[in-house]
Amino acid sequence: KQEVTQIPAALSVPEGENLVLNCSFTDSAIYNLQWFRQDPGKGLTSLLLIQSSQREQTSGRLNASLDKSSGRSTLYIAASQPGDSATYLCAVQTGANNLFFGTGTRLTVIP
Amino acid sequence: EAGVTQFPSHSVIEKGQTVTLRCDPISGHDNLYWYRRVMGKEIKFLLHFVKESKQDESGMPNNRFLAERTGGTYSTLKVQPAELEDSGVYFCASSQTLYSQYFGPGTRLTVL
């Protein structure tokens, strides 16, 4: 059974710092891995999707990497801003088409 | 283009009552998913519709939960009777392909 773990559970950084969020999964037989952002009371916003054949994806200040063989992914956020404060969720998609989520990392960027 | 919408945004009911949650997917999306997050736990898959057919309902916790998708458009998730452990946030997602699911804002269900 696929299990997804995210470390740390919470992170607080001063504005401008670069930071890394970690995600690990137990079963490497995945189709893709996604990073989502969730703001309080809002839905999930997809940030980056990495196909199983890819190593990384970039969007603006965000870079996500995938090491499928070791079951790990990282989300790198450059030059953090207060608007980046949110909960970041990692999810893997398996052959069953549904997503397996981690419990998330709550990020606070202090002005 | 409108996103995935869910109604209500928040529901508070007594144990033993019935609640129906609604999800309107993005127009044209044949795939519709229900997920839920209970307190302190990760978001978990409940079921997957392709048009009006249930493709996978392996995540449905028990027979108190009934999901329907009328005419392959909107979907409802009924909980009857509701129990305390059903409290949480219920998310709906839709997709055109089997990838890139778009999520709604969720319905927060509180069972007292």
Side-chain angles (χ1 to χ4, degrees):
Chain A
K1 179 177 177 276
Q2 181 72 266
E3 292 184 5
V4 181
T5 303
Q6 290 187 248
I7 294 173
L11 180 64
S12 185
V13 301
E15 180 177 2
E17 267 201 11
N18 303 325
L19 60 102
V20 175
L21 307 181
N22 296 290
C23 172
S24 62
F25 47 96
T26 54
D27 185 348
S28 61
I30 64 170
Y31 278 135
N32 59 52
L33 181 144
Q34 275 186 274
W35 283 93
F36 290 89
R37 169 185 173 137
Q38 184 179 19
D39 293 282
K42 301 291 181 61
L44 307 179
T45 301
S46 180
L47 298 173
L48 291 164
L49 184 151
I50 311 176
Q51 300 290 354
S52 62
S53 59
Q54 297 175 319
R55 297 283 293 181
E56 66 177 340
Q57 281 285 340
T58 298
S59 175
R61 294 182 294 108
L62 305 180
N63 176 276
S65 68
L66 173 64
D67 185 340
K68 200 174 81 158
S69 61
S70 68
R72 295 179 188 273
S73 175
T74 61
L75 178 66
Y76 174 83
I77 302 178
S80 59
Q81 302 171 357
D84 295 331
S85 298
T87 296
Y88 290 81
L89 297 163
C90 166
V92 297
Q93 185 165 9
T94 67
N97 303 321
N98 52 296
L99 299 176
F100 289 86
F101 283 86
T103 50
T105 294
R106 181 175 296 177
L107 173 66
T108 303
V109 180
I110 304 166
Chain B
E1 179 185 275
V4 177
T5 57
Q6 293 187 245
F7 182 83
S9 58
H10 192 184
S11 180
V12 181
I13 61 172
E14 300 276 339
K15 175 184 172 181
Q17 289 185 322
T18 298
V19 63
T20 300
L21 314 179
R22 174 170 169 146
C23 168
D24 286 77
I26 293 172
S27 178
H29 283 193
D30 288 340
N31 296 282
L32 187 149
Y33 307 81
W34 284 98
Y35 294 83
R36 76 170 178 177
R37 183 172 194 168
V38 296
M39 183 69 74
K41 301 284 190 178
E42 70 275 20
I43 298 172
K44 285 190 174 179
F45 167 81
L46 295 178
L47 86 159
H48 170 208
F49 283 99
V50 177
K51 296 185 180 180
E52 66 275 8
S53 300
K54 292 176 185 174
Q55 181 76 13
D56 180 356
E57 52 184 330
S58 61
M60 295 288 265
N62 52 61
N63 59 11
R64 295 185 294 102
F65 290 75
L66 175 64
E68 295 179 324
R69 189 176 183 193
T70 305
T73 56
Y74 70 92
S75 174
T76 57
L77 179 64
K78 180 188 287 187
V79 185
Q80 179 182 29
E83 298 290 343
L84 298 178
E85 63 265 24
D86 300 331
S87 294
V89 182
Y90 290 76
F91 292 100
C92 175
S94 72
S95 68
Q96 196 164 33
T97 66
L98 292 176
Y99 311 105
S100 296
Q101 296 176 26
Y102 295 85
F103 280 77
T107 293
R108 181 173 297 277
L109 174 64
T110 303
V111 182
L112 302 175

PDB file of all heavy atoms in Angstrom, chain A residues 6-12 21 104-108:
ATOM      1  N   GLN A   6       5.577  13.520   4.445  1.00  0.00           N
ATOM      2  CA  GLN A   6       6.142  14.845   4.190  1.00  0.00           C
ATOM      3  C   GLN A   6       6.835  15.364   5.444  1.00  0.00           C
ATOM      4  O   GLN A   6       6.279  15.305   6.542  1.00  0.00           O
ATOM      5  CB  GLN A   6       5.062  15.830   3.754  1.00  0.00           C
ATOM      6  CG  GLN A   6       4.532  15.524   2.356  1.00  0.00           C
ATOM      7  CD  GLN A   6       3.583  16.592   1.863  1.00  0.00           C
ATOM      8  OE1 GLN A   6       2.392  16.352   1.707  1.00  0.00           O
ATOM      9  NE2 GLN A   6       4.117  17.790   1.628  1.00  0.00           N
ATOM     10  N   ILE A   7       8.033  15.867   5.235  1.00  0.00           N
ATOM     11  CA  ILE A   7       8.836  16.423   6.321  1.00  0.00           C
ATOM     12  C   ILE A   7       9.396  17.772   5.864  1.00  0.00           C
ATOM     13  O   ILE A   7       9.861  17.879   4.723  1.00  0.00           O
ATOM     14  CB  ILE A   7       9.998  15.475   6.689  1.00  0.00           C
ATOM     15  CG1 ILE A   7       9.447  14.175   7.269  1.00  0.00           C
ATOM     16  CG2 ILE A   7      10.937  16.137   7.668  1.00  0.00           C
ATOM     17  CD1 ILE A   7      10.509  13.136   7.504  1.00  0.00           C
ATOM     18  N   PRO A   8       9.361  18.835   6.724  1.00  0.00           N
ATOM     19  CA  PRO A   8       8.766  18.818   8.058  1.00  0.00           C
ATOM     20  C   PRO A   8       7.256  19.027   8.004  1.00  0.00           C
ATOM     21  O   PRO A   8       6.719  19.376   6.962  1.00  0.00           O
ATOM     22  CB  PRO A   8       9.452  20.007   8.727  1.00  0.00           C
ATOM     23  CG  PRO A   8       9.676  20.971   7.601  1.00  0.00           C
ATOM     24  CD  PRO A   8       9.973  20.127   6.396  1.00  0.00           C
ATOM     25  N   ALA A   9       6.591  18.873   9.126  1.00  0.00           N
ATOM     26  CA  ALA A   9       5.152  19.114   9.192  1.00  0.00           C
ATOM     27  C   ALA A   9       4.847  20.603   9.163  1.00  0.00           C
ATOM     28  O   ALA A   9       3.814  21.022   8.651  1.00  0.00           O
ATOM     29  CB  ALA A   9       4.562  18.499  10.462  1.00  0.00           C
ATOM     30  N   ALA A  10       5.766  21.386   9.697  1.00  0.00           N
ATOM     31  CA  ALA A  10       5.605  22.842   9.688  1.00  0.00           C
ATOM     32  C   ALA A  10       6.975  23.481   9.552  1.00  0.00           C
ATOM     33  O   ALA A  10       7.977  22.942  10.019  1.00  0.00           O
ATOM     34  CB  ALA A  10       4.915  23.321  10.962  1.00  0.00           C
ATOM     35  N   LEU A  11       6.989  24.645   8.925  1.00  0.00           N
ATOM     36  CA  LEU A  11       8.239  25.337   8.665  1.00  0.00           C
ATOM     37  C   LEU A  11       7.982  26.832   8.679  1.00  0.00           C
ATOM     38  O   LEU A  11       7.013  27.297   8.064  1.00  0.00           O
ATOM     39  CB  LEU A  11       8.793  24.908   7.300  1.00  0.00           C
ATOM     40  CG  LEU A  11      10.113  25.511   6.827  1.00  0.00           C
ATOM     41  CD1 LEU A  11      11.243  25.095   7.763  1.00  0.00           C
ATOM     42  CD2 LEU A  11      10.412  25.064   5.405  1.00  0.00           C
ATOM     43  N   SER A  12       8.848  27.552   9.378  1.00  0.00           N
ATOM     44  CA  SER A  12       8.720  29.007   9.434  1.00  0.00           C
ATOM     45  C   SER A  12      10.047  29.617   9.025  1.00  0.00           C
ATOM     46  O   SER A  12      11.083  29.260   9.597  1.00  0.00           O
ATOM     47  CB  SER A  12       8.346  29.431  10.862  1.00  0.00           C
ATOM     48  OG  SER A  12       8.115  30.809  10.929  1.00  0.00           O
ATOM     49  N   LEU A  21      11.133  21.584   0.721  1.00  0.00           N
ATOM     50  CA  LEU A  21      10.151  20.706   1.344  1.00  0.00           C
ATOM     51  C   LEU A  21      10.388  19.298   0.815  1.00  0.00           C
ATOM     52  O   LEU A  21      10.696  19.114  -0.364  1.00  0.00           O
ATOM     53  CB  LEU A  21       8.735  21.164   1.003  1.00  0.00           C
ATOM     54  CG  LEU A  21       8.417  22.642   1.295  1.00  0.00           C
ATOM     55  CD1 LEU A  21       6.966  22.942   0.921  1.00  0.00           C
ATOM     56  CD2 LEU A  21       8.682  22.977   2.749  1.00  0.00           C
ATOM     57  N   GLY A 104       1.161  16.896   4.441  1.00  0.00           N
ATOM     58  CA  GLY A 104       1.423  18.300   4.142  1.00  0.00           C
ATOM     59  C   GLY A 104       2.479  18.943   5.016  1.00  0.00           C
ATOM     60  O   GLY A 104       2.802  18.465   6.109  1.00  0.00           O
ATOM     61  N   THR A 105       3.010  20.046   4.510  1.00  0.00           N
ATOM     62  CA  THR A 105       3.923  20.903   5.266  1.00  0.00           C
ATOM     63  C   THR A 105       3.297  22.293   5.315  1.00  0.00           C
ATOM     64  O   THR A 105       3.003  22.885   4.275  1.00  0.00           O
ATOM     65  CB  THR A 105       5.305  20.997   4.602  1.00  0.00           C
ATOM     66  OG1 THR A 105       5.940  19.720   4.643  1.00  0.00           O
ATOM     67  CG2 THR A 105       6.171  22.036   5.309  1.00  0.00           C
ATOM     68  N   ARG A 106       3.099  22.795   6.532  1.00  0.00           N
ATOM     69  CA  ARG A 106       2.528  24.137   6.694  1.00  0.00           C
ATOM     70  C   ARG A 106       3.667  25.135   6.713  1.00  0.00           C
ATOM     71  O   ARG A 106       4.494  25.142   7.631  1.00  0.00           O
ATOM     72  CB  ARG A 106       1.723  24.232   7.982  1.00  0.00           C
ATOM     73  CG  ARG A 106       1.087  25.610   8.190  1.00  0.00           C
ATOM     74  CD  ARG A 106       0.198  25.636   9.404  1.00  0.00           C
ATOM     75  NE  ARG A 106      -0.942  24.744   9.247  1.00  0.00           N
ATOM     76  CZ  ARG A 106      -1.840  24.544  10.194  1.00  0.00           C
ATOM     77  NH1 ARG A 106      -1.736  25.159  11.360  1.00  0.00           N
ATOM     78  NH2 ARG A 106      -2.842  23.722   9.978  1.00  0.00           N
ATOM     79  N   LEU A 107       3.727  25.973   5.690  1.00  0.00           N
ATOM     80  CA  LEU A 107       4.803  26.954   5.539  1.00  0.00           C
ATOM     81  C   LEU A 107       4.327  28.334   5.951  1.00  0.00           C
ATOM     82  O   LEU A 107       3.271  28.794   5.520  1.00  0.00           O
ATOM     83  CB  LEU A 107       5.279  26.988   4.087  1.00  0.00           C
ATOM     84  CG  LEU A 107       6.291  28.087   3.733  1.00  0.00           C
ATOM     85  CD1 LEU A 107       7.604  27.846   4.478  1.00  0.00           C
ATOM     86  CD2 LEU A 107       6.522  28.143   2.228  1.00  0.00           C
ATOM     87  N   THR A 108       5.131  28.996   6.769  1.00  0.00           N
ATOM     88  CA  THR A 108       4.889  30.388   7.142  1.00  0.00           C
ATOM     89  C   THR A 108       6.119  31.197   6.761  1.00  0.00           C
ATOM     90  O   THR A 108       7.228  30.873   7.197  1.00  0.00           O
ATOM     91  CB  THR A 108       4.619  30.544   8.641  1.00  0.00           C
ATOM     92  OG1 THR A 108       3.503  29.731   9.011  1.00  0.00           O
ATOM     93  CG2 THR A 108       4.317  31.999   8.987  1.00  0.00           C
TER      94      THR A 108
END
